[in-house]
């Protein structure tokens, strides 16, 4: 069952804002936050079930971060990001994963950049937990081979 959008928003807004603030800084986090929930609102009626909503909204937010970093990359170095937790910021993974196939890249970033479980990654990628584990593993193997 899918909860009303307001309930979904209330449940994840603070966590998503903290995530965006850590990745993009306070100046750009507000716009990214609004864009995240605007995209979620537009797609919400098409959801088939209410499972893995956290992974879904973090996938939207992480794509906005990727878009922001790509837009800003030619203008200079990547911004310094204050990390409150032990997780590596996406910016640390971006240059390493740029050449991976999209599904492997997403699985590696969601697993090692955002510490999502394989079940959440599978839901975000519209696949299974096993497929998410395989995509992350294949991506890591490819990265090891490329960087040896």
């Amino acid at each position: 069952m899918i909860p009303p959008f307001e309930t979904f928003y209330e449940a994840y807004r603070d966590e998503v804002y903290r995530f965006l603030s850590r990745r993009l800084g306070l100046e750009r986090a507000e716009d990214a936050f609004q864009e995240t929930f605007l995209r979620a609102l537009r797609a919400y009626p098409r959801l088939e079930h209410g499972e893995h909503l956290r992974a879904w909204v973090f996938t939207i937010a992480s794509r906005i971060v990727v878009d922001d970093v790509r837009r800003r990359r030619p203008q200079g170095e990547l911004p310094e990001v204050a990390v409150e937790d032990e997780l590596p910021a996406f910016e640390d993974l971006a240059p390493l994963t740029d050449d991976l196939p999209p599904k492997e890249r997403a699985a590696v970033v969601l697993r090692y950049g955002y510490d999502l479980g394989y079940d959440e990654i599978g839901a975000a990628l519209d696949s299974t937990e096993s497929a998410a584990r395989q995509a992350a593993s294949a991506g890591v193997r490819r990265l090891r081979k490329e960087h040896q």
Side-chain angles (χ1 to χ4, degrees), residues 13-118:
R13 68 178 179 197
D14 294 338
E15 190 176 8
V16 168
Y17 186 77
R18 282 191 303 272
F19 164 77
L20 291 168
S21 296
R22 287 192 310 262
R23 299 310 189 262
L24 298 174
L26 293 176
E27 289 180 19
R28 293 186 336 274
E30 185 63 37
D31 288 340
F33 176 80
Q34 291 177 12
E35 180 66 22
T36 298
F37 281 99
L38 181 61
R39 289 183 189 181
L41 178 61
R42 288 180 182 148
Y44 208 72
R46 294 188 306 270
L47 289 178
E48 295 178 11
H49 56 76
E51 297 175 20
H52 310 292
L53 290 175
R54 181 181 183 273
W56 179 68
V57 75
F58 273 91
T59 300
I60 295 170
S62 65
R63 288 179 181 160
I64 290 170
V65 169
V66 169
D67 292 345
D68 183 77
V69 170
R70 284 186 178 152
R71 272 194 308 272
R72 293 171 13 85
R73 186 175 291 162
Q75 299 172 355
E77 293 184 25
L78 294 174
E80 290 295 320
V81 178
V83 179
E84 295 171 9
D85 53 23
E86 296 293 321
L87 300 177
F90 172 78
E91 288 82 359
D92 294 336
L93 293 173
L96 296 174
T97 60
D98 278 344
D99 295 330
L100 290 178
K103 193 166 250 185
E104 288 178 15
R105 181 173 198 242
V108 168
V109 169
L110 291 172
R111 177 70 186 125
Y112 299 102
Y114 305 125
D115 199 31
L116 292 182
Y118 291 111

